[in-house]
Amino acid sequence: MATMTQNEGAAKSRTGFGVVLACVLIFFFISGSCGLMYQVIWTRKLALLFGTTAYAVSTALTIFFLGLGVGSLVGGRLADRTRYPLRLYGIFEVIISLWACLFILALPVLEPLIPALLRFFDFSHLTGIALRALLALALLFVPVTLMGATLPLLSRFVADSDRNFGRRLGTLYAVNTFGAVLGCFFTGFILIATLGYTSATLVGFALNLFAG
């Protein structure tokens, strides 16, 4: 009788975790979509800052990969130390959404100041590119680093489950990747064209906030 009760409890526990895991996969799909939505929008905005698409794209990609790498390192260490990885993931998603919203709303205020700053410090072609890169780094590094920290945190949550860790981790990564592909396509071909940069960012803000 006790064995039957334990088995029923274990089954309920597995069912409860499965429901939570399904919700986490949905949220990670959303956050993957938002990450690439922001990347597309920010790259287009950086093109206005740099005056050329080539420098804007290369700088945005560099910052994204740098931030994701640093975020993965920091997120891995946090995941090893926290008992509540899902809570940290939610907090990071909220911060990312707020940063993206502030970025797009503050940009009209910053845009008149940036050319004056560039004229003051732009001593050569190389220093001009370096200054633009530093400005882009200051604007984007924090949210991108937090994006990079989300996968280690959710991996820790999955690792706390059972022997299906490898399969669940693969599912987690695949869901996030498919979300990123959808976010990139939808933003580049539909959202910006129909809503504009600000409204497209606010869509990402609302989705990120919902996931958080």
Side-chain angles (χ1 to χ4, degrees):
M1 191 71 177
T3 303
M4 290 176 61
T5 304
Q6 290 175 357
N7 290 338
E8 288 175 358
K12 289 180 180 179
S13 177
R14 286 194 296 269
T15 302
F17 181 81
V19 172
V20 174
L21 181 62
C23 292
V24 168
L25 290 176
I26 292 172
F27 294 145
F28 206 39
F29 180 88
I30 292 173
S31 62
S33 299
C34 292
L36 266 293
M37 286 172 63
Y38 296 145
Q39 183 180 359
V40 172
I41 294 169
W42 292 341
T43 300
R44 301 279 184 90
K45 284 296 184 180
L46 287 179
L48 301 177
L49 171 63
F50 280 85
T52 173
T53 304
Y55 289 143
V57 171
S58 59
T59 302
L61 288 177
T62 300
I63 293 173
F64 259 81
F65 281 115
L66 176 63
L68 292 177
V70 173
S72 181
L73 177 64
V74 174
R77 293 182 177 180
L78 287 174
D80 290 335
R81 297 175 182 176
T82 183
R83 295 175 56 193
Y84 307 104
L86 282 183
R87 182 180 299 177
L88 276 181
Y89 166 75
I91 292 172
F92 287 177
E93 288 297 317
V94 171
I95 295 174
I96 292 168
S97 67
L98 293 175
W99 191 287
C101 185
L102 289 174
F103 172 85
I104 202 68
L105 294 178
L107 207 57
V109 179
L110 295 176
E111 281 177 347
L113 302 177
I114 291 174
L117 186 64
L118 292 173
R119 282 194 299 269
F120 186 78
F121 289 102
D122 196 355
F123 304 113
S124 66
H125 182 64
L126 183 60
T127 56
I129 294 174
L131 181 59
R132 288 171 171 84
L134 288 174
L135 288 172
L137 186 67
L139 291 171
L140 304 183
F141 187 71
V142 170
V144 176
T145 301
L146 294 179
M147 291 177 193
T150 56
L151 179 61
L153 290 172
L154 294 186
S155 299
R156 168 62 189 276
F157 168 74
V158 171
D160 284 342
S161 58
D162 56 22
R163 61 184 180 275
N164 293 323
F165 166 67
R167 183 184 303 169
R168 286 174 172 169
L169 181 61
T171 303
L172 194 71
Y173 195 84
V175 163
N176 187 251
T177 301
F178 283 124
V181 172
L182 180 64
C184 185
F185 173 83
F186 192 63
T187 305
F189 290 98
I190 300 173
L191 267 186
I192 293 177
T194 56
L195 300 179
Y197 293 107
T198 300
S199 296
T201 301
L202 292 179
V203 170
F205 161 77
L207 291 173
N208 251 152
L209 198 62
F210 170 73

